[in-house]
């Protein structure tokens, strides 16, 4: 707060603001960056960013800056805070200023001051400030498919609804909470709420079988563009079996999830695993495997709103004597809703292609909130 500043800190404030104001102007008024020999990311940082972001990217102490901030400066040396952010999101903030992503407008736009290459260099410098390379980079945080689980550990809340398009009316809504801990781990809770029509006029709705689990990243190699994770969890019989809302038995679930980044913002995400019920008289053991193929398109010179069409191929098979594999195809479209890209929606159709008799086509929709990136109502501009 400006009122709480003493004289010497007020001087520093003025200096910071003067520097901040001058740095971009120096470029804008025809002094080419080359003349200032701002060739390395570090040089650019020291000329244009350090006044606010401080030595080593730690941010100027709150008492030395006069402006009201929605939160403290990002600390670029903290891997837990920086690695989830994508380079393209940083570049959008540098190009368009904080305003462009619903951050503090005090973060200026450098669209006239820095070339695209210089922005990439200063981003590479900011990346070098996180020393612990065990944190997987946010580039692996690919758009979430409707069925296939991601390899990347998330801080997210997702609400997914599936509505029967044929046969008996019914719907399932999954409320999924995911939270990271440490560099590579994440816990997950999935509570389904099921509604179905037992007989004409008689609807039944309740909680289904709840999943608790832990995911851990095993390999994340940005140069190769691959990430591999393992998941172990337990599905609790919280759903009422007699009403068809649960299996009535505790089941252990385990799977591996893998993603490969491909050229031109395309990707493939794979998942394979098994469900092992503790009593096979109530529910059969089963295996499942899933693949999602997609490609993202970004508006506004590659830095704006993102559209991602995807198609999933989903298979599962029970370990019973006459079982055959259930195959589904799930075409879908994800779009980022908020300017900050942390609130997203996806709409798709789950279309059974084998064993279609008792498996209706479903419309599936989710809303996703990456709460690490800001409040639900922040970042819309
Ligand atoms: C006038 C002060 C000021 C200057 C100069 C400045 N920034 Fe910022 N920057 C901020 C503030 C304040 C925020 C935090 C915005 C928020 O969180 O609401 C910010 C946020 C950012 C972010 C977003 C971080 C995140 O958490 O997503 C990036 C990236 C960034 N700045 C890079 C730079 C670079 C690179 C430069 C120099 C080319 C620079 N900034 C110059 C004030 C400044």
């Amino acid at each position: 707060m400006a009122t709480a500043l003493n004289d010497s800190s007020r001087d520093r404030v003025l200096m910071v603001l003067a520097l901040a104001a001058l740095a971009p102007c120096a470029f804008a008024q025809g002094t080419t960056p080359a003349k200032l020999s701002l060739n390395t990311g570090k040089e650019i940082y020291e000329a244009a960013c350090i006044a606010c972001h401080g030595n080593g990217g730690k941010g100027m102490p709150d008492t030395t800056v006069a402006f009201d901030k929605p939160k403290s400066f990002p600390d670029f040396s903290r891997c837990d805070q920086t690695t989830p952010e994508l380079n393209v999101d940083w570049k959008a903030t540098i190009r368009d200023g904080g305003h462009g992503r619903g951050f503090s407008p005090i973060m200026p736009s450098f669209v006239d001051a820095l070339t695209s290459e210089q922005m990439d260099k200063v981003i590479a410098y900011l990346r070098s400030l996180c020393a612990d390379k065990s944190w997987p980079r946010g580039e692996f945080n690919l758009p979430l498919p409707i069925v296939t689980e991601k390899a990347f550990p998330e801080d997210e809340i997702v609400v997914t609804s599936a509505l029967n398009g044929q046969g008996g009316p019914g719907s399932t809504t999954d409320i999924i909470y995911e939270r990271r801990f440490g560099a590579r781990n994440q816990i997950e809770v999935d509570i389904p709420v099921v509604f179905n029509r037992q007989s004409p006029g008689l609807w039944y709705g309740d909680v289904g079988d709840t999943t608790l689990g832990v995911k851990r990243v095993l390999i994340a190699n940005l140069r190769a563009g691959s990430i591999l994770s393992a998941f172990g969890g337990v599905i609790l019989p919280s759903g009422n079996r007699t009403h068809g809302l649960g299996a009535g038995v505790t089941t252990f679930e385990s799977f591996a999830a893998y993603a490969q980044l491909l050229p031109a913002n395309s990707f493939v995400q794979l998942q394979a695993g098994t469900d092992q019920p503790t009593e096979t008289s109530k529910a059969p053991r089963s295996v499942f495997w899933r693949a999602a193929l997609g490609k993202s398109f970004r508006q506004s010179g590659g830095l704006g709103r993102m559209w991602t069409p995807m198609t999933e191929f989903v298979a599962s098979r029970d370990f019973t004597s006459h079982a055959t594999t259930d195959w589904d195809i799930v075409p879908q479209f994800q779009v980022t809703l908020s300017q900050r890209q942390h609130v997203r929606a996806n709409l798709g159709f789950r279309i059974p292609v084998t064993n279609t008799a008792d498996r209706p086509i479903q419309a599936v929709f989710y809303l996703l909130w990456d709460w690490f990136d800001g409040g639900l109502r922040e970042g819309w501009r």
Side-chain angles (χ1 to χ4, degrees), residues 20 48-49 52-53 70-71 73-74 76 90 94 103-104 106-108 110:
C49 323
C52 293
H53 288 291
K71 59 173 185 183
F73 282 109
F76 289 104
W90 279 3
I94 297 166
F103 286 118
S104 160
I106 290 161
M107 166 68 201
F110 287 88

Side-chain angles (χ1 to χ4, degrees), residues 133-216:
K133 299 301 173 205
S134 60
W135 291 81
R137 283 276 300 276
E139 271 66 18
F140 286 120
N141 193 354
L142 290 165
L144 175 70
I146 284 172
V147 189
T148 310
E149 286 232 22
K150 283 162 66 164
F152 191 80
E154 310 269 15
D155 284 318
E156 261 174 19
I157 292 174
V158 187
V159 179
T160 304
S161 284
L163 259 169
N164 290 351
Q166 334 156 278
S171 77
T172 305
T173 297
D174 283 90
I175 301 159
I176 303 162
Y177 174 77
E178 297 175 327
R179 182 185 199 100
R180 294 181 70 165
F181 64 100
R184 300 196 151 209
N185 311 307
Q186 175 219 291
I187 54 158
E188 181 170 328
V189 182
D190 178 342
I191 303 171
V193 182
V194 189
F195 283 96
N196 59 24
R197 198 173 67 169
Q198 308 272 300
S199 56
L202 178 63
W203 278 82
Y204 197 84
D206 208 343
V207 170
D209 288 349
T210 299
T211 307
L212 306 173
V214 177
K215 186 159 80 184
R216 179 173 171 79

Side-chain angles (χ1 to χ4, degrees), residues 288-312:
F288 54 87
W289 59 101
R290 300 157 181 176
L293 298 168
K295 175 172 164 64
S296 294
F297 301 86
R298 289 173 194 269
Q299 290 172 266
S300 177
L303 303 179
R305 185 187 300 282
M306 190 170 84
W307 303 83
T308 309
M310 292 183 262
T311 303
E312 284 179 276

